[in-house]
Amino acid sequence: MRTKLNITDGIFPMPVLMVATYNEDGSINVMNAAWGTMQERDTVVLNLSETHKTVQNIKARGAFTVSIADVAHITEADYFGVESGNNVPDKFSRSGLTASKAETVDAPVIHEFPICLECKFIEYQTNAYGCGVIGKVVHVTADERVMTNGKIDMSKVNAIAFDPYTHGYYQVSTRVGEAFHDGLKLKK
């Protein structure tokens, strides 16, 4: 037996992405965007409306960064989602986090978040099935604290995921299987 649910805007779990840009005056703007994913290995898609300050900044600067939010900074990550850069231009400074200019694009890297994708703006789609911001990933960095033997260790990242059904955040940190391997048991 299955229970019928109301249609919602998401599929659980959704990544909690911190999208960072520079404002016109050079100050930092960050927004929490759970509606995003990788379209291809080097392409990020963010379902964001043009009313967001972040989208205006992306179009103006031609660049943005996407960081993975973690458990240690859940308060700051949520703040970036409940406060608008249109209303509070200094919301990043209020968070207490730190940042520096990205190596390859005109956007900030937030030091406290463990993984950062530096992206060049490709286009903004507005058609009926458009997804908003599309960016090309040109550089990726990770904090040394989440690395093991030269690779990202997801148990150290402690990424958070968003549940659109209950509006909860969940920790993503336990490895439960081996991709491209466990299913081989059923292959004949």
Side-chain angles (χ1 to χ4, degrees):
M1 184 126 194
R2 298 183 59 87
T3 301
K4 182 179 177 183
L5 301 173
N6 292 328
I7 296 172
T8 185
D9 294 330
I11 298 171
F12 176 78
M14 298 178 70
V16 180
L17 306 173
M18 299 293 101
V19 183
T21 60
Y22 287 120
N23 292 316
E24 305 86 14
D25 64 0
S27 62
I28 297 170
N29 180 69
V30 183
M31 79 170 290
N32 178 325
W35 313 101
T37 190
M38 297 297 292
Q39 182 180 29
E40 296 178 24
R41 288 189 183 269
D42 66 348
T43 307
V44 170
V45 177
L46 304 171
N47 190 355
L48 306 174
S49 70
E50 290 183 284
T51 59
H52 289 289
K53 179 65 175 162
T54 301
V55 173
Q56 297 165 22
N57 290 346
I58 289 170
K59 287 180 166 185
R61 296 278 185 150
F64 59 99
T65 59
V66 177
S67 294
I68 306 300
D70 63 350
V71 172
H73 301 96
I74 197 165
T75 300
E76 295 87 346
D78 192 58
Y79 173 69
F80 294 141
V82 298
E83 190 64 81
S84 170
N86 286 318
N87 301 328
V88 180
D90 67 336
K91 75 177 185 174
F92 180 75
S93 63
R94 292 181 183 198
S95 74
L97 299 181
T98 60
S100 58
K101 187 177 182 318
E103 286 184 44
T104 61
V105 298
D106 187 19
V109 173
I110 304 167
H111 300 149
E112 291 78 5
F113 293 125
I115 301 170
C116 182
L117 289 69
E118 297 178 19
C119 304
K120 288 185 180 178
F121 175 56
I122 295 174
E123 71 175 291
Y124 187 86
Q125 293 183 350
T126 57
N127 62 48
Y129 298 102
C131 52
V133 174
I134 300 175
K136 181 169 184 67
V137 179
V138 295
H139 193 69
V140 181
T141 59
D143 190 296
E144 289 295 322
R145 69 186 156 87
V146 301
M147 303 294 290
T148 300
N149 298 323
K151 295 186 179 192
I152 294 173
D153 182 337
M154 286 309 292
S155 67
K156 293 179 179 179
V157 172
N158 284 318
I160 56 175
F162 172 65
D163 169 9
Y165 292 98
T166 66
H167 295 168
Y169 291 117
Y170 291 83
Q171 182 175 358
V172 179
S173 62
T174 304
R175 188 178 188 122
V176 296
E178 301 302 317
F180 308 106
H181 180 268
D182 291 351
L184 295 177
K185 294 178 227 173
L186 301 177
K187 194 172 180 179
K188 306 260 185 232

